[in-house]
Amino acid sequence: MTVTKHALGLFAMMLTACAATSPFGSAKLSGTDKTLSYQQAVTDSGPLRGRRIVWGGSIIATRNLAQHTEVVVLAYPLDAQAQPLISKSALGRFVLIWPGYLESADYAPGRRLSVIGDLDGLRDELLGGSRHTYPVIQAQYLYLWPLETGPAVSPRFHIGVGVGVRL
């Protein structure tokens, strides 16, 4: 009977270890408002100011200033691991403020990131000759997702040494 209990316990631990988790960890995610939508933040940010949120998306621009870095991000819905789902429709843009320097070569346009931070109101910015309103996040934690490596151009099948056939 005890062997069965130990085997079940070991199996449960293995399943837990294999489960995908957020790169932030549960401690950093605790206290975040996962129900606050992008649309709510844009339309009614006043009472929502100071709310801890987790958002993510694709970087549009990175601006290094004297005391901080601003990153403009095209927001996307997140999966259970807080990874932006860029296959879904974009939600809109937001600006994150990082209290230090971020290398713009690393935080380059097209890179995906996720952020935990506090909603800090709205900002109007000029885009294409018209003004747009973006939520601003005072970032506490950032996660820059690894670059995706695409599949090989075509599958290859090798026979022996040095002889390859493209399929």
Side-chain angles (χ1 to χ4, degrees):
M1 186 67 126
T2 59
V3 172
T4 304
K5 286 182 184 178
H6 289 296
L8 286 174
L10 182 61
F11 181 70
M13 286 191 309
M14 286 177 18
L15 283 177
T16 303
C18 293
T21 59
S22 166
F24 294 119
S26 59
K28 292 176 184 170
L29 285 170
S30 69
T32 59
D33 186 347
K34 296 173 188 77
T35 64
L36 180 62
S37 73
Y38 178 86
Q39 200 58 28
Q40 288 173 303
V42 171
T43 57
D44 195 21
S45 75
L48 302 173
R49 184 179 231 135
R51 285 271 201 49
R52 175 77 38 114
I53 55 177
V54 55
W55 282 358
S58 178
I59 297 173
I60 295 173
T62 301
R63 301 182 288 242
N64 284 300
L65 304 173
Q67 299 298 317
H68 65 274
T69 301
E70 297 181 355
V71 182
V72 180
V73 180
L74 184 58
Y76 285 94
L78 303 179
D79 65 11
Q81 291 76 41
Q83 183 172 359
L85 297 170
I86 58 173
S87 61
K88 304 284 185 184
S89 296
L91 304 172
R93 295 178 181 207
F94 68 88
V95 178
L96 73 83
I97 309 296
W98 182 255
Y101 177 81
L102 293 175
E103 178 54 62
S104 57
D106 292 330
Y107 289 81
R111 290 292 304 266
R112 294 173 303 128
L113 67 74
S114 296
V115 57
I116 294 176
D118 300 327
L119 188 61
D120 192 29
L122 300 173
R123 177 189 292 180
D124 287 333
E125 290 202 9
L126 194 60
L127 176 66
S130 62
R131 290 219 156 295
H132 295 272
T133 302
Y134 304 131
V136 176
I137 298 174
Q138 292 292 330
Q140 303 297 316
Y141 306 103
L142 291 178
Y143 184 78
L144 190 61
W145 292 91
L147 290 171
E148 293 181 357
T149 56
V153 176
S154 62
R156 300 189 96 176
F157 175 72
H158 293 279
I159 303 171
V161 177
V163 178
V165 178
R166 287 188 185 256
L167 298 177

